[in-house]
């Protein structure tokens, strides 16, 4: 079996070889959904570790690229999946083609997260503000979410992935609500990866609804106002049951070159490390994920405390 250092070198060679086989941009190739060019300024990842760390989970450790350190991986990764429509427009394709390509990127990110030992992954699939998009696009997305959840349950059971869906479910189609509830119940005992899909989600709304719940408890004398603290407040957020062990993202990734959170996990991301990439979400793959994780591992997280 090849060493982890050899694996990383082989990965780079295979990526270079794959680039030479990309379909051309001639009219005959326009429907092959080619990958957009990569940036040439990507920094080189840290040198490979000489060997895996002892004591990590065997399944994850055996698949972890040598350039990553198991002991300093983020436990919880959140992703703002942005750029599907722009990806499609650049190829003269309808937005639906971009969303389908984005689905494949999410499936790959889930696979890599599970293989590398990430414990929780939260994906921003549809914001509360996205309801203002054209109805034909919104309807397509609702059907896509329904299909993806339905078709993924068997794999989630095989791979030990627990699914949660957060957001304003009252606005979702009844059929999507039903499939989401069934998938959550079916996968509730899985423990290898917590996958949370944020659909019709708003960080501001999440904070407001938490305030309302606490106010109701105070009004009914179930809670004294002076007893409210950050822990009690966090318990009322939608993410309180979405990633029980890891409620706050250690790393938040946003694609497509936009430099903002866009109303995503506003309370929860207070001390998240942020990583922004120009890569459009459908093109986000293993090399991009590795870059984000290597960046995370290079940072000194102090949480406001000065180290002496």
């Amino acid at each position: 079996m090849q060493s982890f250092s050899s694996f990383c070198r082989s990965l780079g060679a295979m990526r270079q070889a794959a680039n030479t086989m990309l379909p051309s941009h001639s009219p005959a190739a326009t429907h092959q959904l080619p990958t957009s060019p990569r940036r040439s300024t990507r920094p080189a990842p840290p040198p490979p570790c000489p060997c895996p760390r002892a004591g990590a989970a065997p399944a994850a450790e055996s698949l972890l690229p040598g350039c990553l350190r198991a002991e300093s991986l983020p436990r919880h990764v959140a992703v703002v999946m942005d750029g599907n429509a722009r990806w499609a427009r650049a190829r003269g394709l309808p937005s639906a083609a971009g969303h389908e390509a984005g689905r494949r990127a999410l499936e790959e990110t889930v696979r890599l997260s599970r293989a590398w030992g990430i414990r929780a992954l939260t994906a921003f699939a549809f914001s509360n503000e996205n309801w203002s998009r054209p109805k034909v696009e919104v309807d397509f997305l609702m059907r896509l979410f329904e299909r993806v959840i339905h078709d993924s349950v068997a794999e989630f059971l095989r791979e030990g992935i627990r699914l949660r869906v957060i957001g304003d479910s009252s606005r979702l189609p009844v059929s999507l609500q039903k499939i989401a509830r069934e998938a959550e119940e079916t996968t509730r005992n899985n423990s290898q990866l917590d996958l949370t899909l944020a659909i019709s989600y708003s960080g501001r709304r999440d904070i407001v609804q938490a305030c309302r719940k606490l106010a109701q408890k105070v009004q009914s004398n179930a809670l004294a106002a002076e007893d409210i603290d950050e822990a009690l407040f966090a318990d009322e957020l939608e993410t309180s049951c979405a990633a029980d062990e890891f409620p706050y993202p250690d790393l938040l990734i946003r694609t497509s070159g936009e430099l903002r959170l866009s109303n995503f996990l506003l309370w929860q991301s207070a001390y998240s490390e942020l990583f922004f990439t120009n890569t459009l979400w459908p093109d986000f793959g293993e090399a991009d994920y590795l870059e984000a994780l290597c960046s995370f591992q290079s940072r000194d997280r102090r949480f406001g405390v000065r180290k002496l």
Side-chain angles (χ1 to χ4, degrees), residues 197-252:
L197 296 181
I199 303 176
S200 188
Y201 178 82
S202 160
R204 289 177 174 177
R205 177 188 173 277
D206 197 3
I207 292 172
V208 169
Q209 65 85 27
C211 291
R212 287 173 176 166
K213 288 181 180 179
L214 290 173
Q216 290 169 356
K217 290 182 178 181
V218 171
Q219 188 175 33
S220 63
N221 295 320
L223 177 68
E226 57 270 21
D227 291 335
I228 297 174
D229 56 16
E230 290 187 12
L232 282 177
F233 185 85
D235 285 343
E236 302 298 340
L237 294 170
E238 293 186 63
T239 50
S240 64
C241 63
D244 297 329
E245 294 181 75
F246 319 108
Y248 305 132
D250 300 297
L251 172 65
L252 191 152

Side-chain angles (χ1 to χ4, degrees), residues 8-276:
C8 283
R9 290 194 295 270
S10 299
L11 177 63
M14 287 188 290
R15 189 177 296 117
Q16 291 178 350
N19 288 339
T20 65
M21 296 186 289
L22 286 174
S24 69
H25 292 279
S26 62
T30 55
H31 293 289
Q32 296 181 23
L33 304 184
T35 303
S36 62
R38 296 284 185 189
R39 291 170 290 154
S40 59
T41 58
R42 183 189 306 281
C49 299
C51 61
R53 183 179 67 93
E61 190 75 17
S62 64
L63 295 174
L64 190 67
C67 51
L68 296 178
R69 303 184 305 277
E71 69 275 12
S72 56
L73 281 173
R75 297 170 300 172
H76 184 174
V77 175
V79 184
V80 179
M81 306 181 294
D82 193 25
N84 291 350
R86 274 172 281 173
W87 186 93
R89 283 197 302 270
R91 290 157 177 77
L93 299 170
S95 60
H99 294 310
E100 286 284 2
R103 172 187 61 83
R104 293 190 291 272
L106 176 59
E107 290 173 348
E108 177 68 358
T109 303
V110 171
R111 184 188 71 80
L112 292 172
S113 298
R114 167 69 175 84
W116 293 345
I118 305 296
R119 298 302 308 279
L121 176 68
T122 300
F124 200 9
F126 189 87
S127 73
N128 198 52
E129 293 78 15
N130 288 156
W131 289 108
S132 62
R133 290 187 176 185
K135 186 177 185 302
V136 63
E137 181 180 2
V138 171
D139 289 346
F140 173 83
L141 284 169
M142 294 301 115
R143 292 193 300 271
L144 178 63
F145 298 149
E146 189 171 326
R147 173 160 49 89
V148 167
I149 293 173
H150 177 271
D151 294 347
S152 299
V153 170
E155 182 178 359
F156 289 168
L157 289 174
R158 286 194 305 270
E159 297 296 327
I161 298 172
R162 177 169 57 178
L163 177 69
R164 303 280 177 79
V165 178
I166 62 173
D168 184 3
S169 61
S170 67
R171 302 188 68 178
L172 302 180
V174 174
S175 56
L176 175 54
Q177 294 181 43
K178 180 175 182 292
I179 284 179
R181 285 195 303 270
E182 292 174 349
E184 289 176 334
E185 179 61 27
T186 302
T187 63
R188 64 192 301 265
N189 293 321
N190 293 345
S191 60
Q192 294 301 309
L193 173 69
D194 278 349
L195 172 62
T196 301
L197 296 181
I199 303 176
S200 188
Y201 178 82
S202 160
R204 289 177 174 177
R205 177 188 173 277
D206 197 3
I207 292 172
V208 169
Q209 65 85 27
C211 291
R212 287 173 176 166
K213 288 181 180 179
L214 290 173
Q216 290 169 356
K217 290 182 178 181
V218 171
Q219 188 175 33
S220 63
N221 295 320
L223 177 68
E226 57 270 21
D227 291 335
I228 297 174
D229 56 16
E230 290 187 12
L232 282 177
F233 185 85
D235 285 343
E236 302 298 340
L237 294 170
E238 293 186 63
T239 50
S240 64
C241 63
D244 297 329
E245 294 181 75
F246 319 108
Y248 305 132
D250 300 297
L251 172 65
L252 191 152
I253 301 170
R254 175 154 190 165
T255 60
S256 85
E258 302 293 349
L259 306 178
R260 56 179 178 270
L261 296 181
S262 293
N263 202 11
F264 182 48
L265 300 181
L266 299 181
W267 171 278
Q268 298 87 337
S269 61
Y271 279 101
S272 300
E273 297 295 322
L274 306 180
F275 181 84
F276 299 100

